[in-house]
Amino acid sequence: MNKAALYRQLAPEARQQNGLSILNQVIGVLILLASLTAILETEPTLRASAPWLFPALETIFVVVFIIEYLLRLYSIGEDPRYRGLSGRLRYIFSFWALIDLIAILPYFLGFMVHDNAFLVRLLRLLRMLRLARLGRFSQAWTELADALHSRSYELWLSAGVAALLLLFSSCCLYVVEASAQPETFGSVPRALWWSIATLTTVGYGDVTPITALGKFFAGLTAVAGIGIIAMPTGILAAAFSDAFQKKRNPTDGEQP
């Protein structure tokens, strides 16, 4: 397979046919399997039952991903944006190339931090982030970015309203509940945690206001939380609808 054919196999945007190439389909399946392996490895009983299995699978996945990375680096010169040595250097520091490196580096870093439990868990988390590599095979990320950008003002406005409501609720609860429950509501930052849990409709039964005014403000916060959560949801739903409608009918809105 020559360089041009390899590039068309690896770069979805270079294909004239719809869908992914066989090579990218195989890579996508391997990414899912590698992520599933990283998730299952966090279960101690599974690691203990087959201590050799997970390191062996991780080695296989990393070898395949290294070969894929080198093939992408070899064939990327077919893209006019990355021709020559300087172009390949730009590609190495591009977003998707860095994501590819993140899929590989935890394997090698694991040999240096195997005695640190926290860093070991962190590296396992980075391995799970291999799922982000699937983004290059789909237009969904582009549609998501376009939808967020088109409604950025409305989203920032709803975030501002939510922040003000959180601050107002925390201050009110601090004033009326601090004397009765100093451990929970003895400061605005402490009360802020309760407001966040309530505003997002999660709630914690072990922390509740006990004064009449505290219960009143808590009720207002809980009711307002429903509207605050619904606001960005509706904004995003409308944005996604508009984005996909434009994709299906690209000529809509054009002047004759």
Side-chain angles (χ1 to χ4, degrees):
M1 184 182 296
N2 58 39
K3 187 186 296 187
L6 180 61
Y7 174 70
R8 288 193 295 271
Q9 285 288 312
L10 290 172
E13 65 275 10
R15 280 176 56 83
Q16 296 179 349
Q17 302 92 338
N18 292 327
L20 294 176
S21 65
I22 298 297
L23 181 55
N24 276 336
Q25 290 179 27
V26 172
I27 293 171
V29 171
L30 289 175
I31 291 172
L32 291 174
L33 291 176
S35 301
L36 178 61
T37 300
I39 292 171
L40 294 177
E41 191 180 0
T42 61
E43 175 54 49
T45 56
L46 292 178
R47 292 201 310 271
S49 62
W52 57 271
L53 178 61
F54 291 106
L57 289 175
E58 179 65 12
T59 300
I60 294 172
F61 290 135
V62 168
V63 169
V64 173
F65 291 152
I66 289 175
I67 294 173
E68 177 210 355
Y69 181 83
L70 294 176
L71 290 177
R72 290 186 184 278
L73 189 60
Y74 167 73
S75 63
I76 197 62
E78 296 298 312
D79 188 331
R81 298 172 298 173
Y82 302 115
R83 285 177 179 165
L85 179 59
S86 61
R88 281 185 168 82
L89 289 175
R90 286 199 307 274
Y91 172 75
I92 290 174
F93 292 100
S94 65
F95 177 78
W96 289 118
L98 291 175
I99 293 294
D100 292 340
L101 281 177
I102 291 175
I104 299 169
L105 290 180
Y107 175 80
F108 299 100
L109 295 176
F111 293 108
M112 297 182 288
V113 300
H114 61 276
D115 293 329
N116 189 310
F118 172 78
L119 291 178
V120 169
R121 291 194 297 269
L122 180 61
L123 291 178
R124 286 174 183 160
L125 173 62
L126 290 177
R127 286 163 52 194
M128 295 176 196
L129 293 179
R130 287 169 178 166
L131 286 171
R133 299 190 61 217
L134 295 174
R136 66 154 30 104
F137 303 139
S138 173
Q139 293 296 318
W141 290 102
T142 302
E143 302 296 340
L144 175 61
D146 291 343
L148 292 175
H149 184 266
S150 66
R151 294 294 191 278
S152 59
Y153 175 78
E154 293 91 337
L155 289 172
W156 279 113
L157 181 61
S158 63
V161 172
L164 288 175
L165 181 58
L166 282 172
L167 183 60
F168 176 77
S169 172
S170 303
C171 291
C172 291
L173 287 169
Y174 163 68
V175 171
V176 300
E177 289 285 329
S179 298
Q181 300 187 79
E183 291 297 325
T184 305
F185 298 101
S187 68
V188 173
R190 293 184 186 184
L192 183 61
W193 166 244
W194 183 91
S195 297
I196 291 173
T198 303
L199 193 64
T200 55
T201 69
V202 176
Y204 290 95
D206 58 334
V207 178
T208 56
I210 58 176
T211 65
L213 281 176
K215 292 178 180 180
F216 173 75
F217 285 117
L220 291 180
T221 302
V223 172
I226 299 174
I228 293 298
I229 295 300
M231 188 186 304
T233 302
I235 293 171
L236 287 176
F240 285 137
S241 177
D242 291 345
F244 285 111
Q245 186 66 29
K246 290 179 182 178
K247 184 178 180 180
R248 294 190 187 98
N249 304 294
T251 58
D252 284 358
E254 293 183 0
Q255 295 297 327

